[in-house]
Amino acid sequence: YLGAYIFIMISSLFSDIILLNPILIVNIFIITTIGMFLPLYEKREAYATVFNIGTLLSVASMFYFPSFILILLILIGFIIFRIFSWREWFISVLGLILPYIFLGTFYFWNDCLLSKIESYKSAFSLISVKDFHLSLYVIITVSFLGVILFLSLFKFMITINEKQIRIRKFLSFIIWFFLVSSISLLPSAKYSILSYVMI
């Protein structure tokens, strides 16, 4: 329950996060994706799982478009777990594209495809420092949590070589997930602080 406690504590710092927002829905898809990705290390020919992972990430990007950057996780996860089968790569790309084909067909059928493409183009706006209006209490708390995070990450990087190969790969995947989800903050000026919920 420690992870849930930390999530609730950080979420309570910002009033915008407490309300229902698209990133909370995206988190359900991301947690499910991670839960499906980790057992791939021992599976062979996991075509259905790889397709589901691609589809879930694609659907997540429909709720919160900057989460489309998490598609890099499929590439990184395949490299970490040494999955070099062209079929699984192709199936994951098919899973990524298929929901957007359905969505594009729906928009085309209702004569609003071009306007929706323009709205997707405008969804990417780089984050600005002016978007953040933080109180002193929030700055102190986030700084304290940041110091704890970097100290634990440093300790984690030292002791990772002592673990089993399977656990080492799982932990490497989680670290990469943290880094990639941090990148997704940059094009999310529309949601600013809410983007931290995904991390």
Side-chain angles (χ1 to χ4, degrees), residues 41-60:
Y41 177 65
E42 298 173 350
K43 278 189 181 178
R44 298 199 177 202
E45 298 184 351
Y47 300 138
T49 306
V50 169
F51 179 79
N52 291 338
I53 288 170
T55 305
L56 284 172
L57 284 179
S58 185
V59 171

Side-chain angles (χ1 to χ4, degrees), residues 38-139:
L38 294 180
L40 282 181
Y41 177 65
E42 298 173 350
K43 278 189 181 178
R44 298 199 177 202
E45 298 184 351
Y47 300 138
T49 306
V50 169
F51 179 79
N52 291 338
I53 288 170
T55 305
L56 284 172
L57 284 179
S58 185
V59 171
S61 69
M62 290 179 182
F63 285 96
Y64 175 63
F65 195 64
S67 68
F68 203 80
I69 294 172
L70 292 177
I71 290 169
L72 291 173
L73 280 180
I74 296 177
L75 173 70
I76 292 168
F78 282 174
I79 292 171
I80 289 174
F81 296 140
R82 296 178 183 259
I83 300 172
F84 297 116
S85 169
W86 69 270
R87 287 188 184 100
E88 292 175 352
W89 287 74
F90 177 74
I91 289 170
S92 66
V93 170
L94 191 64
L96 289 167
I97 294 172
L98 195 61
Y100 276 98
I101 289 174
F102 288 140
L103 185 66
T105 305
F106 175 76
Y107 287 151
F108 180 76
W109 190 265
N110 292 310
D111 289 332
C112 59
L113 181 62
L114 294 177
S115 64
K116 292 297 180 180
I117 289 174
E118 289 301 319
S119 66
Y120 271 100
K121 285 180 183 176
S122 65
F124 281 106
S125 56
L126 291 179
I127 201 162
S128 172
V129 181
K130 296 176 184 176
D131 294 336
F132 298 98
H133 306 287
L134 304 177
S135 66
L136 182 63
Y137 170 73
V138 172
I139 292 172

Side-chain angles (χ1 to χ4, degrees), residues 11 13-21 24 191-194:
S11 298
L13 293 174
F14 309 104
S15 59
D16 294 341
I17 295 175
I18 297 172
L19 304 173
L20 182 64
N21 57 70
L24 289 177
Y191 296 100
S192 62
I193 290 175
L194 294 178

